[in-house]
Amino acid sequence: MKRIFAIISCVFFSVAVALASDDIARINHFDERDGFTESYVTCVIQDKEGFIWVSSWNGLSLYDGYRFVTFKGRPGDGCPLETNRINGIVEMPDHNILCKSNNRYYIFDRHRKTFKAVAAAGKRHLFHTFHPSARAKDRIKAMPEYRDIEVKFLCEDRQGGIWIQSNRGLERVRFVRRPLVTEKYGSDGEESIRGLFLDRHNRLWIADKNGIVRVLENYKGSLSLLHQSCLFLDSGGSLTTVPTSFGANVYCFCEDSEGNIWMGTKPDGLYRLKPNGINKYYVSHYTYHREDKWSISDNSVYDIVDGGNGTLFVATFHGGLNVAVRKDDSVRFLNNKNVLTSYPKEALQSRCLLKAGNNMLLVGTTNGLVVCRIGKSIAETDFLLSRRNPEQRWTLSSNYIMGLLLLHNGSVLIATSGGGIDKIEKKSLLGRDFRYEHFSSSQGLSSDMTLALCEDIAGKVWVVSEASLSRVDIQRREVMNFSKGLFSGSFAFTEVPPVCLPDGHIIIGTTQGTLSFNTLSMTKSSFVPNIVFNCGDIIDVDADTKEFSIRFAALDYNKEEDIVYAYRLDGVDTAWHYTTANELHYVGLRPGNYMLHVKSTNGDGVWVNNERVISIHKDAKFSETPYSWILAGIFIALVFFALYKVVEYIRRLQREIKDITLTSNEKIALLGERLRELLPGEETMEKADTSSDNDSLSEAEREFAGKVKNFVRDNIANSDLGVQSIADAMFVSRTVLFVKVKRIFKCSPNNLILNMRIELAKELLSTDSASIAEVAYRCGFSDPKYFSRCFKKLTGKRPTEYKH
């Protein structure tokens, strides 16, 4: 029985070792760049939310996957810690952290960020030492980095990462699937793939920038030359086992209905390989000749499509579309220089072709998409150029088109440079007003600089960018990105369209050979990281706070890709915004209540259902409240009302002035007098000419002067006597009264009343024994002091001085 158990154990161990050989270790080292400055760590735990807490000889640290934040005692901060050396930590039921330091115990309040001393009773049993599994311990100690050095195992988090302490410092180790590597024929130098093609005999053609064309027979899903029969195409058209160069850089392949292989090169024109036995071809070469109008229009051939019925569509980079018409063994090229004169001149730089249906052809150019319907007469072909319109949302996202793909449902995908990918519905192709649906980095695509497209057997679309791959589910609008975590080595993807095989494999061209993998086995983590904030679920922002920041983190420590966040602030944002930064900065937010929504991908670049919502309340200043608006409205209304009254008064005054003839000086004096009536201020005193022997006066003016003086004398004791009283008695307006009094008495009506009162006062002071106050009252002054002041201004003496 023991022998059987030993055999089973050996078999199990062998299987485990075999499985382990497919994994490699990923080590995350933490130092000052991560905000961690202490090399000796005593304990590591993961709390309920997913945070990592680290105790060390330099205090307590919190890690959110981006940076460490350390809490410790500092001079004058009131912290009860006797020393910052913390020997152990554990999470309490209330989610605060219990710390042990110098045989004393402290509770760290995670919300207030403060320590509080507590009694030691019942706390000792909470602390325990982490023990890793024997397999994990052996694997880590067997790693070259930790061989023959002391390793302290601290914690294993919920994502399988093991936190360890060694003389290298604090590190996190996890085992991941071995990354994909490119496969090359040559051992040195660059091997940039320019052409990929799978013919009807299941042979894979691979062309690189070095002028080598390889053919792999009986392709089995791996490009390794140890498992494949590799042949080389020489310049004479033979496939040999001897490594050789074809002599031209092949960019594209096409196999027509007759079994001929067509190869487009740059800048050597078009080649045809006509079968001539086993692994042999007749080679025909077609280039541009100025004197031959039926030759191909340009020697840089980027794409070839079989048109059927002996025709071939060829995209050239400087000569636009060519239609190769085969008759017997000769070929004529129809292009814009002979028959296709209606082809758009601004779209001559063509890069890719797509045949949709029996007679629909799409040409991707650097200046838009050309759509044409090939009928019986090629010369009468109608070409339609669809370009980006900045004013319309449903047009092309970019005019520079890199690739075209026909999906199994009939829709067309367009790879653009700088605009992501666009989709045209099948029914839209039947009209002339194309409507495009966009997929870009705003929808989670890793890059808008797309190079090529292909569809795998599961109906997923693979989008090739220079440094990454994206798998897009068009129907669900779901995107999964693959970048640095999937690949190994230094290379970039090329613009050659990938080849998708019936068994699920995909072959992609790179600058260092080909990259191949099975799309059905390309799975990613389904881990749903918890999103946490550096604040509570409710944020109160003071009215005086003009700007504030909110930090958040998706707690995923297995980050193969940069975590992408989507956020939306209700009331401010109408759509989701995408970013890899984990901090938002708001400036000038208006007062009110807002809801901030945040969701993210996990560390594998997969969008998960982890949306988190927090509430933001911004207080309003009094100037921002409705009450201030009401008061401001009332004030503005009063200002306008006052202005209205002033303007109305001035207009009425102007109408009165028109009724009489005045000199310019009289107009100025009149306006000044009326304005003094409106504005508060002391009366300007001037002497009046009350004599009646002025020869310059007319008889009417003398009569008017007598009436005015008589009325003033009769009412001089009335302190309320004023301009309006005289105007009413004389049956004239205030303006007419002012003008006539000014002409006759050389003063204003108010000054006339004042002068006549002072004249009466002088008489009373000279002949009567009444007191100064009694004289003031009898002359119409309500205030003796004011009477004295007026008397002195007009006579130069005080009433008492004048009386004596």
Side-chain angles (χ1 to χ4, degrees):
M1 184 70 179
K2 291 182 179 180
R3 184 177 180 182
I4 295 175
F5 180 80
I7 295 174
I8 294 175
S9 300
C10 291
V11 171
F12 179 81
F13 180 78
S14 300
V15 172
V17 171
L19 292 174
S21 63
D22 291 334
D23 296 339
I24 62 170
R26 289 279 171 84
I27 303 175
N28 294 104
H29 179 77
F30 305 105
D31 53 23
E32 291 84 356
R33 292 170 296 182
D34 306 290
F36 190 75
T37 57
E38 178 55 46
S39 61
Y40 190 80
V41 176
T42 59
C43 185
V44 176
I45 64 172
Q46 186 175 24
D47 66 14
K48 184 178 179 181
E49 285 189 335
F51 283 109
I52 295 294
W53 294 86
V54 179
S55 62
S56 69
W57 285 0
N58 192 33
L60 178 66
S61 299
L62 173 67
Y63 182 59
D64 62 0
Y66 292 89
R67 286 190 63 81
F68 285 87
V69 179
T70 301
F71 309 97
K72 61 181 183 179
R74 292 179 172 83
D77 64 354
C79 178
L81 288 175
E82 296 180 354
T83 174
N84 287 322
R85 290 196 175 194
I86 298 179
N87 306 110
I89 54 176
V90 68
E91 184 181 14
M92 301 299 290
D94 60 359
H95 306 307
N96 291 322
I97 306 300
L98 175 65
C99 307
K100 180 181 179 183
S101 174
N102 199 22
N103 291 324
R104 296 181 181 274
Y105 295 88
Y106 305 86
I107 290 291
F108 178 76
D109 190 319
R110 60 190 303 163
H111 298 294
R112 297 180 180 178
K113 307 294 189 297
T114 57
F115 291 90
K116 178 183 177 182
V118 295
K123 306 297 183 184
R124 298 178 182 274
H125 70 281
L126 295 176
F127 299 95
H128 58 85
T129 304
F130 167 69
H131 297 285
S133 65
R135 180 171 179 268
K137 187 175 181 180
D138 293 340
R139 291 184 71 180
I140 290 177
K141 286 190 173 183
M143 294 171 58
E145 294 84 358
Y146 307 111
R147 192 172 295 155
D148 300 327
I149 67 173
E150 183 179 356
V151 177
K152 180 181 179 181
F153 293 86
L154 299 168
C155 173
E156 181 175 2
D157 59 42
R158 290 192 281 273
Q159 292 183 264
I162 300 177
W163 296 72
I164 63 174
Q165 166 80 28
S166 69
N167 58 15
R168 292 160 50 94
L170 177 65
E171 293 176 320
R172 179 179 184 267
V173 181
R174 64 189 179 95
F175 296 93
V176 299
R177 183 174 57 186
R178 189 175 299 276
L180 300 173
V181 296
T182 58
E183 296 177 290
K184 299 169 55 178
Y185 166 73
S187 57
D188 299 322
E190 186 179 65
E191 191 174 295
S192 183
I193 303 302
R194 288 292 184 238
L196 289 171
F197 176 65
L198 190 69
D199 66 18
R200 66 180 62 176
H201 301 294
N202 204 36
R203 295 183 301 181
L204 183 66
W205 296 65
I206 305 174
D208 61 39
K209 197 175 180 179
N210 301 319
I212 296 176
V213 178
R214 286 178 288 156
V215 181
L216 300 182
E217 294 188 309
N218 301 319
Y219 181 73
K220 299 298 183 181
S222 173
L223 301 185
S224 174
L225 297 180
L226 298 177
H227 302 89
Q228 305 295 325
S229 174
C230 183
L231 301 176
F232 298 85
L233 179 66
D234 63 19
S235 58
S238 298
L239 295 177
T240 68
T241 57
V242 179
T244 184
S245 172
F246 176 69
N249 290 332
V250 178
Y251 272 57
C252 55
F253 295 89
C254 178
E255 185 174 15
D256 62 24
S257 58
E258 299 174 0
N260 299 314
I261 302 294
W262 295 80
M263 300 188 303
T265 69
K266 177 184 177 182
D268 297 306
L270 182 67
Y271 287 86
R272 181 180 65 174
L273 304 180
K274 186 176 182 180
N276 182 30
I278 300 177
N279 293 336
K280 290 184 179 181
Y281 298 93
Y282 290 115
V283 179
S284 300
H285 190 196
Y286 307 94
T287 58
Y288 169 67
H289 297 284
R290 181 177 298 179
E291 64 278 4
D292 184 5
K293 71 174 183 178
W294 300 108
S295 65
I296 193 169
S297 60
D298 184 63
N299 288 330
S300 296
V301 180
Y302 273 39
D303 202 1
I304 311 168
V305 170
D306 183 23
N309 300 322
T311 61
L312 199 72
F313 300 114
V314 182
T316 64
F317 194 67
H318 296 288
L321 175 66
N322 285 256
V323 181
V325 180
R326 306 191 302 273
K327 188 175 182 181
D328 297 331
D329 204 34
S330 63
V331 179
R332 291 201 311 173
F333 294 90
L334 311 182
N335 50 56
N336 67 310
K337 296 179 180 180
N338 45 52
V339 175
L340 302 181
T341 56
S342 61
Y343 185 84
K345 298 295 187 294
E346 59 268 38
L348 291 179
Q349 291 185 330
S350 56
R351 297 188 57 93
C352 50
L353 298 170
L354 177 64
K355 187 180 178 185
N358 295 326
N359 62 349
M360 181 73 69
L361 182 69
L362 283 73
V363 185
T365 76
T366 61
N367 198 26
L369 179 68
V370 178
V371 180
C372 60
R373 293 174 177 82
I374 306 297
K376 294 182 179 180
S377 175
I378 296 178
E380 298 178 357
T381 301
D382 182 25
F383 295 95
L384 174 64
L385 178 60
S386 176
R387 303 182 70 253
R388 178 178 179 268
N389 186 344
E391 305 300 327
Q392 296 181 1
R393 180 181 178 185
W394 300 107
T395 61
L396 271 173
S397 58
S398 173
N399 287 333
Y400 203 110
I401 297 176
M402 299 294 297
L404 299 168
L405 175 65
L406 180 64
L407 301 180
H408 68 279
N409 63 0
S411 298
V412 173
L413 288 187
I414 304 171
T416 70
S417 178
I421 60 177
D422 298 335
K423 184 182 77 167
I424 311 178
E425 293 292 346
K426 182 178 180 181
K427 60 182 180 180
S428 181
L429 288 171
L430 302 177
R432 299 179 65 88
D433 184 17
F434 299 153
R435 291 178 62 85
Y436 300 85
E437 186 178 356
H438 308 299
F439 296 82
S440 64
S441 56
S442 298
Q443 286 75 40
L445 208 62
S446 62
S447 174
D448 289 335
M449 299 294 293
T450 57
L451 300 178
L453 305 166
C454 70
E455 185 179 19
D456 63 22
I457 61 174
K460 304 295 191 301
V461 176
W462 290 82
V463 183
V464 181
S465 303
E466 185 174 345
S468 63
L469 296 175
S470 298
R471 189 179 72 185
V472 182
D473 188 325
I474 300 296
Q475 300 299 326
R476 297 182 179 180
R477 299 185 65 86
E478 295 177 350
V479 179
M480 184 179 293
N481 297 314
F482 302 87
S483 54
K484 59 184 180 181
L486 177 65
F487 319 120
S488 177
S490 177
F491 64 87
F493 292 108
T494 61
E495 61 198 46
V496 56
V499 173
C500 291
L501 304 176
D503 63 354
H505 276 81
I506 184 174
I507 303 100
I508 305 174
T510 76
T511 56
Q512 295 294 335
T514 54
L515 184 73
S516 64
F517 54 87
N518 193 328
T519 58
L520 300 179
S521 64
M522 293 302 294
T523 59
K524 285 207 167 190
S525 169
S526 59
F527 177 73
V528 181
N530 185 30
I531 293 181
V532 294
F533 292 83
N534 66 337
C535 54
D537 292 337
I538 301 176
I539 303 175
D540 288 317
V541 183
D542 293 336
D544 295 330
T545 302
K546 296 181 179 179
E547 55 185 275
F548 63 95
S549 298
I550 299 175
R551 289 192 62 189
F552 45 83
L555 299 180
D556 191 334
Y557 305 104
N558 293 344
K559 289 189 286 189
E560 296 290 352
E561 316 284 347
D562 290 333
I563 293 179
V564 180
Y565 296 93
Y567 66 91
R568 186 185 74 238
L569 186 63
D570 291 345
V572 175
D573 302 319
T574 57
W576 289 95
H577 298 280
Y578 296 83
T579 179
T580 55
N582 66 324
E583 184 173 2
L584 298 178
H585 189 68
Y586 287 100
V587 178
L589 190 67
R590 295 175 62 86
N593 296 313
Y594 303 90
M595 302 298 290
L596 176 63
H597 302 255
V598 179
K599 59 183 180 180
S600 75
T601 63
N602 61 19
D604 243 1
V606 180
W607 286 99
V608 293
N609 185 19
N610 64 343
E611 183 176 338
R612 179 87 182 272
V613 183
I614 63 173
S615 175
I616 302 175
H617 173 72
K618 174 72 182 296
D619 294 331
K621 297 180 180 179
F622 178 76
S623 60
E624 297 172 327
T625 61
Y627 301 105
S628 66
W629 303 340
I630 294 173
L631 291 177
I634 294 174
F635 176 75
I636 293 173
L638 291 175
V639 170
F640 276 103
F641 179 75
L643 290 175
Y644 168 76
K645 298 301 288 185
V646 170
V647 171
E648 184 65 23
Y649 185 82
I650 293 174
R651 287 180 178 176
R652 183 161 55 86
L653 183 60
Q654 290 173 342
R655 289 193 298 267
E656 292 177 356
I657 293 174
K658 289 181 180 180
D659 296 337
I660 57 178
T661 303
L662 300 175
T663 66
S664 59
N665 291 333
E666 289 175 332
K667 293 180 181 179
I668 294 173
L670 174 62
L671 287 173
E673 180 67 20
R674 299 303 292 272
L675 288 175
R676 277 193 294 272
E677 293 178 0
L678 292 174
L679 301 176
E682 190 174 351
E683 178 74 23
T684 300
M685 298 182 186
E686 53 186 351
K687 290 186 177 182
D689 183 8
T690 57
S691 63
S692 303
D693 55 353
N694 191 341
D695 297 334
S696 62
L697 298 178
S698 64
E699 188 63 30
E701 288 175 336
R702 290 175 186 275
E703 182 181 357
F704 182 81
K707 291 181 180 180
V708 171
K709 290 170 66 176
N710 292 334
F711 179 79
V712 173
R713 288 193 191 100
D714 295 341
N715 297 278
I716 201 164
N718 183 7
S719 61
D720 293 329
L721 178 64
V723 176
Q724 190 62 48
S725 302
I726 301 174
D728 293 341
M730 298 299 107
F731 302 103
V732 295
S733 67
R734 292 169 65 96
T735 301
V736 173
L737 177 67
F738 177 83
V739 173
K740 289 187 175 184
V741 170
K742 191 72 173 177
R743 283 180 179 177
I744 297 171
F745 300 103
K746 306 297 190 247
C747 67
S748 66
N750 283 324
N751 276 291
L752 174 63
I753 298 172
L754 180 62
N755 276 266
M756 292 184 68
R757 283 174 170 167
I758 296 299
E759 289 295 331
L760 177 60
K762 289 165 65 177
E763 293 178 7
L764 295 175
L765 289 173
S766 301
T767 61
D768 200 339
S769 60
S771 65
I772 302 299
E774 291 176 351
V775 172
Y777 294 137
R778 291 171 64 182
C779 294
F781 290 97
S782 59
D783 184 6
K785 293 182 180 180
Y786 178 66
F787 161 68
S788 298
R789 190 162 58 249
C790 294
F791 192 91
K792 181 176 176 56
K793 278 192 176 185
L794 291 176
T795 65
K797 296 180 180 181
R798 294 182 181 275
T800 55
E801 295 174 349
Y802 185 87
K803 183 174 183 178
H804 295 150

